[in-house]
Amino acid sequence: MAKVTSEELGKEPIGKLLIKQAVPASIGILVMSLNVLVDSIFVGNWIGSIAIAAINVVLPVSFFIAALGMAIGIGGSSIISRALGANNHEKALKTFGNQITLTLLVTVTMVALGLYYVDNLIPAFGGKGSIFEPAKIYYTIILYGVPFLALCMMGNTVIRAEGKPKFAMIAMIIPSVGNLLMDYVFIYIFDWGMYGAAWATTVGYLLCFGYILYFFLSKNSELKISLSHFGLDPAILREISSLGFVTLARQAVTSITYLLMNNILFNLGGEPMVAVYAIIGRMLMFALFPVFGVTQGFLPIAGYNYGAAYYDRVKESIYTAIKYAALVATLVFVVLMLFPGEFAALFLSNRPGLSPEELATNQFVLQHTPFAMRLVFAATPIIALQLIGAAYFQAVGKAIPALLLTLTRQGFFFIPLILLLPKFFQETGVWLSFPIADVLATVVTGIYLGKEIKKELT
């Protein structure tokens, strides 16, 4: 692999640079999303639809703890990108060392708390009735691997900040491929059920951690830290925290959303309705991978050029990223509008000997998922502006507007909508909340980003 340096972020044409950054990011996210998708298909076909619902219940807790690593990663990586752009290499090294220390301290503490309160957390997130036991099995095993996942998510953002998207892509592919292989071995061959699904995922986390550790110890990384860099620096911690809190707040709101959605849908239709949402959730992760890839590719470009005071390049990167992301979002929209039933059917088992309860659940899911999916993705073509706009403020170190815009969709609009609309429209009100929140958040982001460009980048 050819040697790549962070300085290319300030020199190459923006369009070419964004493709170079976004394509590996998109591939990495695609493989991770396929992993979640195929993992769910394996679980649904080899264990049952209730098992999919059980995993969906666990995801908010494990993802929130792992998101602590991502928050620290993105917050610190914004500093690293700008420090490299300003040729302040020592600050970049100190920031990276602080990220590692902080990630370990926070995630290990959260895992200990998560294991202690396991019997309270699972029911709170919708793990009730027949969902509870498989969810507890999955949750307990997954949590042991979450600190490694957090370190991986943190390290991945730093690799991107160095301008090395291909290595970041490989780091995302390895755990996904490992998980799927272990799924086959542990679930299909060994017949370990939920234990197998959980251990397969945990092994994937460990493989990812091993690769990221190799990268930073090899000659491919510019960030060669020493023991002195691990000591916590209050000024750097404040900056990491203020910027990372944006990501953490987004994931916290996402976890709250899962909690509310699982409980609201359980009350509306029981376990089968939670299974419908589980499939929708997987599709939200999978189908939008190219849009998230463009966003990930945009972050180091905007951060580096802002740090170097190349404001014309920053502005160009915003417009180019929105254009690319909107194009791929529209393609995703068309596919999902045409084939929602076919995607839903992938998750359901057709093996012989299904119980009457499983057959009834499958029938319910097939009847309700296509309509729900069309509503959930109805505003997909316009979300590019919302995502890139919020990402810009995080990339350039403006924590407060980044936080407010990040929370706009789910915190300010979506949660109130899912609490209100189901009272009038039942399950349809739940699904309608998605596109309404997308439209409102996009309008707010567009207004705010337009003012920022006129004020700061012209």
Side-chain angles (χ1 to χ4, degrees), residues 312-324:
D312 285 342
R313 286 177 62 81
V314 176
K315 185 164 61 174
E316 185 183 354
S317 71
I318 293 171
Y319 294 143
T320 305
I322 291 174
K323 180 174 67 176
Y324 288 1

